[in-house]
Structures are given as structure tokens and as C-alpha cells.
Amino acid sequence: MAEIIPHWLTKQADLAPDKTALELADGTVYTFHELKEKSQSFARKLKRLGVQKESKIGILSANHPDMVIAIHAVSYVGAVAVLLNTRLTSPELDFQIKDAGVELVIGQDEYNKVNADFYTFSDAWKVAESSAELQTEINLDASFTIIYTSGTTGFPKGVIHTYGNHWWSATGSMLNLGLANNDKWLAVLPLFHVSGLSILLRSVICGISVHLHETYEKQAVHHAIMNRDVTIASVVTVMLKDLVGCLGNSRYPETFRCMLLGGGPAPKSLLEQAKERNMPVFQSYGLTETASQIVTLSPADALQKLGSSGKPLFPAQLKIDKTDGAIGEILVKGPMVTKGYYNNREATEKVIADGWLATGDLGYTDEEGFLYVADRRKDLIISGGENIYPTEIEGVLAAMEAIDEVGVTGKKDDKWGQIPVAFVVVNDTSITTEAIMEFAAQRLAGYKLPKEIYFVEKLPRNASNKLMRNKLLQQKKV
Amino acid sequence: MAEIIPHWLTKQADLAPDKTALELADGTVYTFHELKEKSQSFARKLKRLGVQKESKIGILSANHPDMVIAIHAVSYVGAVAVLLNTRLTSPELDFQIKDAGVELVIGQDEYNKVNADFYTFSDAWKVAESSAELQTEINLDASFTIIYTSGTTGFPKGVIHTYGNHWWSATGSMLNLGLANNDKWLAVLPLFHVSGLSILLRSVICGISVHLHETYEKQAVHHAIMNRDVTIASVVTVMLKDLVGCLGNSRYPETFRCMLLGGGPAPKSLLEQAKERNMPVFQSYGLTETASQIVTLSPADALQKLGSSGKPLFPAQLKIDKTDGAIGEILVKGPMVTKGYYNNREATEKVIADGWLATGDLGYTDEEGFLYVADRRKDLIISGGENIYPTEIEGVLAAMEAIDEVGVTGKKDDKWGQIPVAFVVVNDTSITTEAIMEFAAQRLAGYKLPKEIYFVEKLPRNASNKLMRNKLLQQKKV
């Protein structure tokens, strides 16, 4: 039965009106009461702009209080927020906007670069409030957000999150990490990714204060953990590496109890450096499809099980499609797992069956049930926490007339973990690296651009002529 | 959509196999792994005894590890546990057993007093295990427990709790009180009441250790809080009064963070005495129908709002059927609220409409939304945390030939809060108090027996000849 609950921000504002909901690096504070009032006001402005229940509203912004307000405002209208990655190019954004049927995009001034009705936050605030009624309750089965994720093949797919997905993710996190009245969660990961968004929703569901950083500056994050009573921070590997450096021989305050590490594998040497410094690092594993972390090391196991992503959060389930501890595909199930992709039944049925989501990632569990992720999705490149699919880059480069064949793979990188590099077979020897880069830059977000381009005679292919991306880097050495 | 989750005890045993699930006053410990193993073993024995999915299984026991195991075993079979109050007389038990269609009662040896198939725990343990499969998952919409509650009129009604009711109650409690890895909850309230049962379910859902007392001995409870690392205890007013006395000028350990007070109104003077001693008392309000507390003071408000029951737990809702802060009936709504009474649509429809449960209790909310309970259900007598309905006692006494009319009401009592007293109009002046008491004792649990009996000429009635119970005590003075 679909559970109906009071609107979660209204409820939290009733329970703890004067508690800090949102705190900025400059010291600005919004209480839960203020956040509710502003979100409801913004919702009434959205209504005046014609936004209705189930309308798809694009949000295109860096981490900014107005983005937080806009996200909650969308829920007060009963609309659906399509969270757009600010690093995407116009063609990439246009695809998502069209695919999701976005009626209106709101965001920061500088991102007014989409082929859609666009309102800057500041213009939207100037709109008069509608007197129409807002949502007072939430149906956990209703859709709330759509976030696009690239797949191993074809175009990006819009992952639908219901309110229930976010609810169960938030309570699952709390059942693992516990909940203290003084909890303050540092949000520096982009709110347009589910890893950042989920911090906002845990905040209103669990009554946790959020310490928001607009952009990632390692010294600023280090300072916040040292001096701003942060108790939990979500980071990706590249940040952890920076923070180990910033910490040096110092130690974090005792009240800082969890550094939740997501976004791809972390080198064991880095985890050991963090352990030597008593950094409370908890590895986790999750996908956009799982509404953030779904497997996380618990405080009790963090030190003993270095390198493991932990156990599936309550009440998630996990299985590996191989037995006896062998490496196989990771499957997950639970009420935090998406019911599917927007308007894409084919893609949905490809990965979800009987409630089990086939992640495409490879891993194994030890005899105590701890997950070790061996390899992320086939050919997936994770660069600074951003997922990059070779097929998407290959598809763009193959459209250049001078290019006959192209293969993309990830290359190890000290700073970013991995960087994408491209191998091309050309039919016009006058074509330059610069020309290829310029072509790509018009079509791909900066983080997806190949950082190196190799001109080769032919690509490694197997007997059925299938590209073997795992052999590309050997090709280079020849 | 009905959420499917892994069996919660299996899940907790996977997450924290070596953590203490259950600890007895004598030091015996069951880990979550052991509790799971024993519960699954007991479930296989129940299956051998013919218990099937959706069978109704009576459980008749004081707080004992076997009772905890039996409750979880019932869930592994997918049956429904009918929790029977050990203090009831045989006729009272027989009514509930028949009404709920109980097929088999299991319990401690001394309670083998029911008209039904009865297995003592020790006999049940001797049964061989069936090899049939057990439940690995839980459907939150499925029924798990039935607990009888007397109503203002007629016979007791069986309140059905789904797994979801218990789940939402447990997470709602945690969202209010927080959750720490060292949490240990003292369970001295009877497990056959929802206030005790809910401790067990919070334990497996949230990974909280339970410190179980078989019977209430004030010095033992005091000792446990002082010396056994208990962090939370559920008590009723009569216990709080005892514990204030036991504490004297001492102070509880700092780690003891919550004394959850339920079961009827507490005198303000007692709350003040507790406050003077820094006892972390959180008043709460709940019914069997709400799967335990549904309104609770938060740690942040406990001192400022003495006398209030707090605010509705996340995600419950509350309203009063009067406006402007006037006293009116308390209505509550939320996923922890029962969907209804077993096999009794009429009673269900009388109190539940549009998801709102009319509690029958009276109260008001202050301008900040804090609930103050003014009066429990019409004529309800609360004696030492047990609910007693005058109509039930009146119905029993009226069946005596010598009694023409009878009225029962609660009288203030220093120890128990209230005690039931009866006013009778007799047609045979030779009838004695002793004879009436003996008649009642065969039919009513001890706590329901009128502690005083007054022989009167007539009962106070209004113009429509309706008994005015609130005038009975004045009658006595005449």
C-alpha cells in the first residue's frame, strides 16, 4: 500500500523549527522553518509560472541555497525535478531536456544555455506568488527526481527516484551510521548528483544540518571539518587524497565521525594513509539507480575490513551472480532501488527483474558477507567521481568525417583516478589532435573529453570483430 | 506499493552477528546471530506442529527469552502472533482465543489454562524440526501481531499490526531519539503489550541491544540503569515514581539518555522531581492502535515542555477536533497506525476514517504544536499502566443475580495512579462485598477487580437515564 506521509520539510520544520537546516561557508544559516517558508514561497512562484503537478522542471545550478530551495519547492508543487549536470554541453543538456519532457528550466544565471524556457533563480524570485494550494502530504510512490546516467550503450537514461526511494535511502543510511542530535553533514559533492542530493533529503527526513559548499576547494573543506563542527562528510576518492594531504600530521576533531567515501574504487594505499591518520573513512558503493549508497561499511567494521564496501544497508539485499566467493555481477534489491528509467521500458527491463537490479559492476563477497567491488561497470571510466562511458565519447568522435574508427578507455591518473583517452584510426592524415579536441569540446562536457589522443593503424578486435577496450593501452605501447 | 524487505532479524544478524541482541539480568547473552538461529529453529518446530502461513498463534508468557524467540519464530513461519495478557482469567483468554481464531497457544508452563491446544515452550523445543522453508523476506503490508484492547463499549477488540506498522514505529522512534551504536534498551514492560513488544522490534530493526527483565522489581530496574550500561528504558508512571525513590540523591550515569514514559498521565509534581534529579524523562503518548508511542517529547524539548507529550513522531500527523487550542478529541494518522481491528469492520469504521484514527482521548496543542493530553479515553481507568474499561467490569458484575445496577469508575491512588471502584444497587441485602469479589475474581484479571465496592440506593443518571460515571464518586460521599 502506498504510504502517505506529511511533507517532510513541513514535518521537520514542525519538529525542529529553530534547528539549522542549511549553513553556508560564509556563516549564513537557514533554519528548518526558514527553509520551509522560502521553499513554499518559491513553490507558489513556480505555480504562477504554470508549473503543475507532475510537470518536469529542470534545475541547472551549482550548489547554492536557491538550488536547495528550488528542489524542495518542486516537491511542494508535486512536480518532478530533473537535475541537470552543469558541466554538460548544450547538446548534452538538450538531449536530457527533450528526453524528459522538461517544460521549464530554472537555475543560476550563468547556465542559461539551454534550448528551453529558462528562468534564473533571481528572475523566478521576482515572480508574484500564486495563491494555489501546495502539497501538504507526500505519496511515497510518487516520482520526485530524475537524474540522467550514461549507460554502457546508447544515450543517457533518466533514473526516476520516487519519494520512497529517497526515504528508504535516508533511513537506511541512518540505521547504519546512527543519528545524533548534533549531526552536521558536509555537502560539497554536486547536488545534481544523487550523492549530493541525498544529503539534502537525509537532512529534512532525519533533522540533520547541512554545511553546503558551492564548489570544491580542498582547503575550504579541510577547514570546515577542522573548525565547523561537521560530523559527517561525503567525498569521492580524489577529495580523500587531497584531504589526507591537507591533514598532514594533524588529527580531525573527535566529533567528526564519518567520511563517507563513494564514487569508485579507492587505492588501498590511500585507505591505509587515511587509517594511519585516524580518519573515519567508510567506503560505500552505490549508483544513481540506488538513490546513493546502498552498500556501506559500518563504524564497527571500518577498520577491520579495509578495502571492502561493506554490507547492504537495511533493508537492502545483495547477491553476486557467481557462487563460492567468485567474482561476478553485483545485483541489489530494496525499496531504495529505482523502479526504472523514464520513458524507457526497454532499458528498465534490461536491468531490473523481480525487483533485482543488475548493476553491471563486478565484485565478490567474503565469507562474512562483505562486498569487495572488483571492477565498475564494463569499461566504465570514473574520473574524479564522475562516471564516463567510452561509448558516449566514441559515438561523438566517430561522427567526424576524418575518423574511421575510435576506441576510448580509462588510463590511470594520480589525481583523478582515471582519465579518458582515445585511440583513432583516421582516413585523413592531415587531421590534428587539436581539431579532434575542438570537435569534441563542442559536444562533450569537459570531464568527458579525451585527455590524450593516439593515432593508430588499427584497433584491437576479437574474432567477432568486437572492440577489446581492455587492449587499447597495450596498443599504445606498440 | 507493498515494500518487500529481507526478514529483519536475518538482516540484523547479517549486519551485526556478534552484537548483543538480548541480555538477561543474570548476564545471559544472545547475539543477533544466536537469536536468529534459535528463532529459525523454533520456527521449524512450529511448522512441524502444523503452523502455517497466516495461522494465528497465541503466545502466553511473561518476559522470557523463549517468548522473544517465539515472536520472531512466528514471523519466520509467516504466521500471526496473538499476544495474550498473562494476567487475564481463563474466560477472558478464551474470548480472545476464539475471537482471533487461534489454532495453537504456546507459552510458559504456568499459563496452561486456556481452552485451546497448548504447548509449553519446553515441550515445543522437544519437537523435531520440519525441513520446510522459512520466510526470507517480509512484506510490510502483511499482518504480524494482534493485541487485544478493551474498548469503551462491548468486548475487547483485536488490534492488527502489520510489519509495516512496527517498522514505521521503530524508525519514527529512532528519528526522534537518535541512534547510537552502544544503545541498550531496558524492557521491563510486558512484551504482550505493544509498549514492550515494540522494544523487541526496534532492537532487530535498529540493531539495539535489549536488557530484558522478566518481572518488574524496582530495585532490579534501578540497579540495571545504574550498572548495566542501559541507555534507554521504557516505563510507566508507577515505575517512574518508584525509580525517583530509588535514586534518592544519586544520579544516573551520563550514558543513560532516555526514560521513555508512557501509559497514562503523569502528575506534574512527579515530573518535577525527576527533573530535579536530572532524570532524562521523555513523556510520550500512544495506543495499541498506534503500535506504541506516536507522540513523544524530543530530547531538545524535554526540559522546556514539562507535562507535554511532545509532537507526533516522523512521519505521524496529529489533529484536535477543536480549533484555537481548545480541548478536543485527539486524532492521529500515519503508517504506524493500525489498519483496523481483526474481523471487526464495524469497530474499525467507527474509529478510522480517511486514514485518521479517532483516539477517543482528549487533549490540546499549544501554539508551538506540543500535545497536552487532558484526559484519556472517556471513562478509561489507567492503573499501573494497564488500561481498564468500566463497561467491562460493569458487564461482569451486572451478571450477578443479586445486582440490579452497577457503575464503575477510577479513584485516585497514590501508588497505581487510579484504581477501579464499583457502585452497586442490589436486590438482596444479604449479598456481601466478599461474594461480589469472588464472583468477579473468577471472571476478571486481578488488576481489573474493583478494589472497593459501595452499596448505594441508586446510580447518578442524566435526563436520558444515562449513567454519569463522573458523578459516582460524589455519590459515595452522600
Side-chain angles (χ1 to χ4, degrees):
Chain A
M1 213 180 108
E3 296 297 353
I4 308 289
I5 65 171
H7 190 285
W8 46 37
L9 175 53
T10 306
K11 178 70 183 174
Q12 196 56 254
D14 283 348
L15 288 173
D18 301 327
K19 188 168 180 174
T20 296
L22 192 62
E23 174 187 86
L24 309 185
D26 70 6
T28 308
V29 161
Y30 297 75
T31 65
F32 280 107
H33 173 76
E34 289 162 349
L35 183 61
K36 179 199 74 170
E37 292 290 314
K38 284 191 185 289
S39 300
Q40 290 187 334
S41 168
F42 202 82
R44 291 193 188 94
K45 292 167 192 288
L46 290 179
K47 283 220 158 189
R48 173 64 58 122
L49 289 174
V51 177
Q52 299 188 341
K53 219 175 157 177
E54 297 178 23
S55 294
K56 309 295 183 299
I57 304 306
I59 298 181
L60 186 55
S61 171
N63 290 359
H64 185 278
D66 279 342
M67 183 181 186
V68 177
I69 290 165
I71 289 169
H72 292 306
V74 166
S75 65
Y76 276 119
V77 178
V80 178
V82 180
L83 297 165
L84 301 165
N85 185 331
T86 56
R87 303 172 72 183
L88 298 183
T89 60
S90 293
E92 290 170 312
L93 289 169
D94 290 345
F95 171 83
Q96 298 187 9
I97 286 167
K98 194 173 166 205
D99 187 68
V102 167
E103 296 171 15
L104 175 73
V105 178
I106 48 176
Q108 287 173 303
D109 306 18
E110 57 265 50
Y111 299 113
N112 188 351
K113 58 179 179 181
V114 295
N115 285 320
D117 277 348
F118 187 95
Y119 265 82
T120 64
F121 290 135
S122 44
D123 283 345
W125 278 116
K126 287 174 198 149
V127 172
E129 290 187 12
S130 151
S131 59
E133 299 242 318
L134 301 180
Q135 300 291 309
T136 57
E137 294 186 324
I138 282 174
N139 180 328
L140 292 186
D141 280 354
S143 299
F144 177 28
T145 54
I146 294 178
I147 298 180
Y148 275 78
T149 174
S150 295
T152 45
T153 54
F155 291 100
K157 300 167 288 182
V159 178
I160 305 170
H161 297 121
T162 61
Y163 288 93
N165 291 147
H166 290 302
W167 172 277
W168 286 91
S169 173
T171 51
S173 165
M174 180 183 46
L175 285 169
N176 179 50
L177 297 180
L179 177 67
N181 198 34
N182 68 342
D183 273 336
K184 187 189 283 188
W185 204 304
L186 187 142
V188 61
L189 300 177
L191 300 179
F192 52 72
H193 281 330
V194 79
S195 48
L197 174 67
S198 60
I199 299 173
L200 294 190
L201 301 178
R202 277 179 219 122
S203 165
V204 296
I205 291 168
C206 307
I208 296 172
S209 305
V210 171
H211 184 77
L212 186 72
H213 281 216
E214 186 150 356
T215 54
Y216 171 63
E217 301 284 350
K218 64 182 180 183
Q219 286 298 346
V221 170
H222 176 70
H223 181 266
I225 297 175
M226 294 300 279
N227 303 299
R228 299 295 292 272
D229 301 324
V230 166
T231 63
I232 305 177
S234 295
V235 297
V236 292
T237 308
V238 58
M239 296 177 182
L240 177 59
K241 197 172 171 189
D242 286 347
L243 293 171
V244 165
C246 291
L247 190 59
N249 294 320
S250 308
R251 290 292 176 268
Y252 283 144
E254 289 246 324
T255 45
F256 180 69
R257 66 190 185 87
C258 169
M259 187 170 276
L260 189 67
L261 177 63
K268 193 136 186 198
S269 60
L270 176 60
L271 294 174
E272 277 162 0
Q273 287 171 18
K275 185 177 172 179
E276 283 163 17
R277 286 166 178 76
N278 292 330
M279 293 167 92
V281 173
F282 301 174
Q283 265 202 281
S284 70
Y285 167 73
L287 317 167
T288 304
E289 284 85 342
T290 60
S292 84
Q293 44 159 343
I294 188 165
V295 180
T296 308
L297 261 184
S298 73
D301 301 316
L303 291 179
Q304 284 71 40
K305 292 286 180 177
L306 208 69
S308 165
S309 299
K311 292 182 176 178
L313 297 181
F314 218 121
Q317 301 181 66
L318 175 136
K319 63 183 181 189
I320 305 290
D321 75 350
K322 289 278 189 309
T323 50
D324 299 331
I327 290 179
E329 184 173 8
I330 301 168
L331 291 99
V332 292
K333 178 179 176 177
M336 61 285 274
V337 176
T338 182
K339 302 291 185 291
Y341 301 104
Y342 183 71
N343 222 355
N344 195 340
R345 184 185 295 194
E346 192 191 333
T348 302
E349 288 175 353
K350 208 164 169 182
V351 297
I352 302 178
D354 293 333
W356 287 94
L357 170 79
T359 65
D361 295 328
L362 299 176
Y364 66 94
T365 51
D366 68 12
E367 63 289 349
E368 294 178 277
F370 287 87
L371 174 69
Y372 292 78
V373 178
D375 224 338
R376 290 304 295 256
R377 256 156 291 184
K378 208 164 172 318
D379 301 324
L380 174 64
I381 303 165
I382 304 185
S383 186
E386 291 277 3
N387 290 356
I388 303 170
Y389 287 88
T391 45
E392 192 181 354
I393 304 173
E394 288 163 6
V396 166
L397 295 189
M400 266 193 102
E401 268 189 35
I403 293 181
D404 276 345
E405 291 180 59
V406 55
V408 170
T409 191
K411 188 180 159 190
K412 275 204 183 170
D413 183 81
D414 273 356
K415 180 165 171 61
W416 301 107
Q418 284 182 295
I419 50 169
V421 297
F423 294 76
V424 293
V425 178
V426 296
N427 54 38
D428 173 358
T429 50
S430 71
I431 191 86
T432 61
T433 299
E434 291 67 33
I436 297 175
M437 292 298 279
E438 194 188 323
F439 181 87
Q442 286 164 19
R443 293 162 177 83
L444 289 169
Y447 66 89
K448 296 180 190 169
L449 290 177
K451 301 298 173 292
E452 294 165 8
I453 291 176
Y454 298 96
F455 295 87
V456 292
E457 294 280 316
K458 58 175 186 146
L459 299 181
R461 293 185 181 276
N462 67 11
S464 12
N465 209 32
K466 199 171 177 300
L467 178 63
M468 294 186 293
R469 293 198 187 85
N470 57 344
K471 305 271 192 206
L472 281 169
L473 287 169
Q474 294 168 26
Q475 188 81 353
K476 188 192 116 194
K477 286 179 197 146
V478 170
Chain B
M1 213 179 105
E3 296 297 353
I4 309 289
I5 66 171
H7 189 285
W8 46 38
L9 176 51
T10 306
K11 178 71 183 172
Q12 196 57 252
D14 283 347
L15 288 173
D18 302 327
K19 188 167 181 174
T20 297
L22 194 61
E23 174 188 87
L24 308 185
D26 70 7
T28 307
V29 161
Y30 297 75
T31 64
F32 280 108
H33 173 76
E34 290 163 347
L35 184 60
K36 179 200 74 172
E37 291 292 313
K38 285 190 183 291
S39 300
Q40 290 187 334
S41 167
F42 202 82
R44 291 193 186 95
K45 293 166 191 289
L46 290 179
K47 282 219 157 188
R48 173 66 55 123
L49 290 173
V51 177
Q52 301 187 339
K53 218 174 158 180
E54 296 178 24
S55 293
K56 308 294 183 301
I57 304 305
I59 297 180
L60 187 53
S61 171
N63 290 359
H64 185 278
D66 279 342
M67 184 183 186
V68 177
I69 290 165
I71 290 169
H72 292 305
V74 166
S75 65
Y76 275 119
V77 178
V80 178
V82 180
L83 297 164
L84 300 165
N85 186 330
T86 56
R87 304 172 71 181
L88 298 183
T89 61
S90 292
E92 290 170 312
L93 289 169
D94 291 346
F95 171 83
Q96 297 186 9
I97 286 167
K98 193 172 166 206
D99 188 68
V102 166
E103 295 171 16
L104 175 73
V105 178
I106 48 176
Q108 286 174 304
D109 306 17
E110 57 264 50
Y111 300 112
N112 189 351
K113 58 179 180 181
V114 295
N115 285 321
D117 279 347
F118 188 93
Y119 265 84
T120 64
F121 289 134
S122 43
D123 284 344
W125 277 117
K126 288 176 198 148
V127 173
E129 291 187 11
S130 152
S131 60
E133 300 241 316
L134 301 179
Q135 301 290 309
T136 58
E137 295 186 323
I138 283 173
N139 180 328
L140 292 186
D141 279 355
S143 299
F144 176 29
T145 55
I146 295 178
I147 298 180
Y148 275 78
T149 173
S150 295
T152 45
T153 55
F155 292 99
K157 299 166 289 182
V159 178
I160 305 171
H161 298 122
T162 61
Y163 289 92
N165 291 149
H166 290 301
W167 172 276
W168 287 90
S169 174
T171 50
S173 166
M174 180 183 45
L175 285 169
N176 180 49
L177 296 179
L179 177 66
N181 197 34
N182 69 342
D183 272 336
K184 187 189 284 187
W185 204 304
L186 187 142
V188 61
L189 300 177
L191 301 179
F192 53 72
H193 281 328
V194 78
S195 48
L197 173 68
S198 60
I199 299 172
L200 295 191
L201 302 177
R202 277 179 218 120
S203 164
V204 296
I205 292 168
C206 306
I208 296 171
S209 305
V210 171
H211 185 77
L212 186 71
H213 281 217
E214 187 149 358
T215 54
Y216 171 64
E217 300 285 350
K218 63 183 179 184
Q219 285 298 347
V221 170
H222 176 69
H223 179 267
I225 296 175
M226 294 299 279
N227 303 300
R228 299 295 292 272
D229 300 323
V230 166
T231 62
I232 306 177
S234 295
V235 299
V236 293
T237 308
V238 60
M239 297 177 182
L240 176 61
K241 198 172 168 187
D242 286 347
L243 294 171
V244 165
C246 292
L247 189 59
N249 293 320
S250 308
R251 289 291 177 270
Y252 284 145
E254 290 245 326
T255 45
F256 180 69
R257 66 190 186 87
C258 170
M259 187 169 276
L260 190 66
L261 177 64
K268 193 139 187 196
S269 60
L270 177 60
L271 295 174
E272 276 161 0
Q273 286 170 19
K275 184 177 173 178
E276 283 163 16
R277 287 164 178 76
N278 294 329
M279 294 166 91
V281 173
F282 299 175
Q283 266 203 279
S284 70
Y285 166 74
L287 317 167
T288 303
E289 285 85 341
T290 59
S292 85
Q293 45 160 341
I294 188 166
V295 180
T296 308
L297 259 186
S298 74
D301 301 317
L303 291 178
Q304 284 72 39
K305 292 286 180 176
L306 209 67
S308 166
S309 299
K311 292 181 175 178
L313 296 181
F314 216 120
Q317 301 182 65
L318 175 137
K319 63 183 182 188
I320 305 290
D321 75 349
K322 290 279 190 308
T323 50
D324 298 332
I327 290 179
E329 185 173 9
I330 300 168
L331 290 99
V332 291
K333 176 178 176 177
M336 61 286 274
V337 175
T338 182
K339 302 291 186 290
Y341 302 104
Y342 183 71
N343 222 356
N344 195 339
R345 184 184 294 194
E346 192 190 334
T348 302
E349 289 176 351
K350 209 166 169 181
V351 297
I352 302 177
D354 294 332
W356 286 94
L357 170 79
T359 65
D361 295 328
L362 299 176
Y364 66 94
T365 50
D366 68 12
E367 63 289 347
E368 294 177 277
F370 287 86
L371 174 68
Y372 291 78
V373 178
D375 225 336
R376 292 302 295 255
R377 256 157 290 184
K378 208 165 172 316
D379 302 324
L380 172 65
I381 303 166
I382 304 185
S383 186
E386 292 277 4
N387 289 356
I388 304 169
Y389 287 88
T391 46
E392 190 181 355
I393 305 174
E394 288 163 6
V396 166
L397 294 188
M400 268 193 100
E401 267 188 34
I403 292 180
D404 277 345
E405 292 180 56
V406 53
V408 170
T409 190
K411 189 182 157 188
K412 275 201 184 171
D413 183 81
D414 272 354
K415 179 166 172 58
W416 301 108
Q418 284 182 296
I419 51 170
V421 297
F423 294 77
V424 292
V425 180
V426 295
N427 52 38
D428 172 359
T429 50
S430 70
I431 191 84
T432 61
T433 298
E434 290 67 34
I436 296 175
M437 291 299 279
E438 194 189 323
F439 181 88
Q442 287 163 19
R443 293 161 177 85
L444 290 170
Y447 66 89
K448 296 179 190 170
L449 290 177
K451 301 300 174 291
E452 294 165 8
I453 291 176
Y454 299 97
F455 295 87
V456 292
E457 294 280 313
K458 58 174 187 147
L459 299 180
R461 295 185 181 275
N462 67 11
S464 10
N465 208 34
K466 198 170 177 302
L467 177 64
M468 295 186 291
R469 293 199 187 84
N470 57 343
K471 305 269 193 209
L472 280 169
L473 288 168
Q474 294 167 27
Q475 189 82 350
K476 188 194 115 192
K477 286 179 197 143
V478 172

